[in-house]
Amino acid sequence: QTEEADVMLLSVPSYACQRKTTLQNHNSVFTDALTLLAENAEMEDEDGRGVAFRRAAAVLKALPKAVTSMKQLNGLPCLGDHCQRVIRDILENGISSEAEATRQSERYNALKALTGIFGVGAKTADRWIRDGIRSVAMLRDSGHALNRAQLAGLQYYDDINQPVTRAEADAIGDIVERAVASVLPGAQISLTGGFRRGKLTGHDVDFLITHPEEGREEGLMPKVVSWLDSQGFLLYQKTMRNSYLESKDGPARPPSSMDRFERCFSIFKLTTEQKQEALTAEAPTESQHPESQMKCGELKETGHAGHKPWRAVRVDLVVSPISQFAFALLGWTGSKLFERELRRWAGYEKAMSLSSHALYDNVQKRYLRAASEQEIFAHLGLEYIPPAERNA
Ligand code: GTP
Ligand code: MN
Ligand code: MN
């Protein structure tokens, strides 16, 4: 009787964009193993396998409680034989032997170390490993030719691989606000990515910039970047013009007037003082609070303990015209799997093409406008899922 009830309780729709996935995960023992296998597949350039593991992990993340028996998996989507084997192994032995073997393998660790360098993807890492390079130290000693991004990635390796906190994200946000306000008053900034979904830490900080008057945002990125650079905030930056019209992403092509997407992958220099300012400016009444005093004390200490008084932080900036803002906001909020599932839903279930620029109806042969994320979900025939529940 209880088992039947369990089976009933554990039912989820098959697309991640049809489900609410909060950060509260009752099945992390399983999803950690599946995520490690997904990462490994992605680093091996086996994206199909990677997605299969990520979909399975996302199904378990959406469950209201911990899985305790294989029977509970009956009727759940996206759990193929391989994933079921991993889950059974954990249920029976406490660990997944495959995940553990991968975690300990020399190849996995070399790929993880090398792709952990900003500017290094799976293919480059594989090439270096075939040249006998298995660690960051070996790469440093190898004298290999590195591009500008990879040089910066090596230079700031330790900082970049240390998670960014919410306080640091807010401090970066203050700096970006100042930059944008001084080059284009009236422009608006939104925090996107994992922090918008409520994550407490991230691998970077993501921002989307727009202006309420269409066209005013044009050419904004180079101005923002040169302001930031002149103030000494940038350790690295690569600014890209919108490549949207050249992309082969199918029919979700907007009219040429929309060819205005610009973005910047950067590394910020965040000083201890800037972080402190953000902490105190945000909650002035809380500065008497023992916990926030402790935080400031810790910050001061790192500044005076012989360490450098700043850290490098990865920051992504995107500029979007207001007419595409809702699509850009939805597209840059993530999670990556949630985005992938939204596009799959649009294509397979609705005959529509969704991108970070537009939504195209392949049957009506027209673009569907939207001024908010809610309108995009409505066009797609989906219940609205707020950012905090897109953590698939
Ligand atoms: P952490 O940064 O690790 O905390 O997670 P995150 O969810 O913020 O990941 P990330 O910063 O890598 O990406 C944030 C969102 O931006 C995700 O939804 C991605 O799909 C999206 N994104 C990242 N790169 C690109 C890109 O090149 N093009 C588009 N359109 N979207 C991207
Ligand atoms: Mn991010
Ligand atoms: Mn990012």
Side-chain angles (χ1 to χ4, degrees):
Q1 172 226 10
T2 30
E3 268 172 15
E4 259 174 45
D6 284 348
V7 175
M8 299 278 282
L9 271 175
L10 302 183
S11 105
V12 298
S14 64
Y15 288 84
C17 54
Q18 296 174 289
R19 313 187 291 251
K20 295 175 186 298
T21 313
T22 64
L23 289 167
Q24 193 181 20
N25 178 359
H26 304 281
N27 287 287
S28 53
V29 61
F30 307 105
T31 60
D32 286 352
L34 292 167
T35 302
L36 183 136
L37 295 173
E39 271 174 11
N40 186 56
E42 286 156 4
M43 292 192 299
E44 293 289 3
D45 228 7
E46 297 168 7
D47 284 348
R49 263 163 36 86
V51 174
F53 285 128
R54 293 224 181 257
R55 282 206 190 111
V59 165
L60 300 182
K61 281 182 201 170
L63 297 179
K65 57 182 183 155
V67 168
T68 53
S69 88
M70 289 304 285
K71 280 196 187 114
Q72 296 169 322
L73 304 180
N74 284 338
L76 290 182
C78 309
L79 298 176
D81 289 347
H82 194 157
C83 292
Q84 296 213 25
R85 220 158 49 230
V86 172
I87 296 166
R88 179 179 293 113
D89 202 4
I90 295 172
L91 282 172
E92 288 173 0
N93 307 308
I95 58 161
S96 153
S97 52
E98 187 185 358
E100 284 315 303
T102 304
R103 196 196 304 280
Q104 281 158 31
S105 81
E106 199 176 321
R107 168 119 183 131
Y108 169 83
N109 283 289
L111 284 167
K112 184 103 180 145
L114 297 178
T115 60
I117 305 169
F118 174 67
V120 178
K123 289 199 176 79
T124 304
D126 177 62
R127 186 157 34 83
W128 287 343
I129 291 169
R130 282 191 274 114
D131 289 345
I133 294 166
R134 273 169 285 111
S135 68
V136 172
M138 288 170 92
L139 178 66
R140 282 203 170 102
D141 295 341
S142 73
H144 257 74
L146 302 175
N147 65 30
R148 205 168 61 85
Q150 294 161 348
L151 282 170
L154 260 195
Q155 191 171 356
Y156 307 114
Y157 186 81
D158 291 337
D159 275 4
I160 290 175
N161 282 286
Q162 187 193 318
V164 183
T165 64
R166 178 69 207 216
E168 288 165 339
D170 290 338
I172 300 278
D174 288 351
I175 296 168
V176 176
E177 291 269 1
R178 277 163 58 201
V180 170
S182 67
V183 300
L184 181 64
Q188 294 164 1
I189 300 164
S190 308
L191 183 64
T192 62
F195 286 112
R196 182 164 182 249
R197 302 196 308 274
K199 279 180 65 183
L200 298 176
T201 62
H203 97 282
D204 68 358
V205 195
D206 307 283
F207 295 98
L208 176 61
I209 305 165
T210 191
H211 191 283
E213 261 176 77
E214 184 84 2
R216 291 288 300 279
E217 82 296 338
E218 229 173 319
L220 179 56
M221 191 67 87
K223 290 179 196 152
V224 169
V225 167
S226 68
W227 188 93
L228 289 167
D229 202 24
S230 70
Q231 304 284 313
F233 288 127
L234 292 182
L235 297 167
Y236 168 91
Q237 65 87 15
K238 184 176 166 65
T239 305
M240 275 147 293
R241 257 191 68 79
N242 173 22
S243 57
Y244 184 42
L245 287 190
E246 296 119 60
S247 82
K248 289 163 260 157
D249 272 357
R253 258 167 189 248
S256 58
S257 68
M258 289 182 182
D259 181 17
R260 289 175 193 151
F261 247 55
E262 306 171 301
R263 67 180 163 191
C264 177
F265 297 126
S266 72
I267 302 174
F268 267 52
K269 179 177 185 172
L270 181 65
T271 68
T272 310
E273 291 87 62
Q274 286 152 1
K275 207 160 101 179
Q276 254 173 295
E277 273 168 34
L279 274 176
T280 48
E282 229 162 67
T285 48
E286 268 183 27
S287 61
Q288 277 92 6
H289 196 277
E291 205 179 34
S292 44
Q293 272 185 352
M294 193 193 74
K295 272 185 202 157
C296 291
E298 280 173 2
L299 292 176
K300 265 185 205 129
E301 223 178 5
T302 51
H304 293 285
H307 304 292
K308 59 182 176 29
W310 57 270
R311 70 160 291 190
V313 180
R314 274 273 299 112
V315 177
D316 288 338
L317 304 174
V318 179
V319 171
S320 144
I322 191 75
S323 61
Q324 296 176 23
F325 177 76
F327 298 99
L329 185 62
L330 180 60
W332 287 86
T333 295
S335 68
K336 283 199 181 80
L337 183 75
F338 191 90
E339 302 294 335
R340 184 185 268 271
E341 293 280 276
L342 270 176
R343 292 192 299 270
R344 191 164 69 98
W345 168 270
Y348 280 80
E349 307 295 332
K350 297 285 157 182
M352 294 179 185
S353 307
L354 175 68
S355 75
S356 298
H357 300 265
L359 179 63
Y360 184 78
D361 187 320
N362 296 307
V363 178
Q364 297 184 54
K365 306 263 181 250
R366 68 178 184 101
Y367 290 95
L368 305 178
R369 296 187 165 277
S372 66
E373 290 180 318
Q374 280 85 348
E375 288 176 44
I376 303 173
F377 280 87
H379 281 317
L380 291 169
L382 289 168
E383 183 195 343
Y384 177 67
I385 310 284
E389 293 173 345
R390 297 180 202 159
N391 285 293

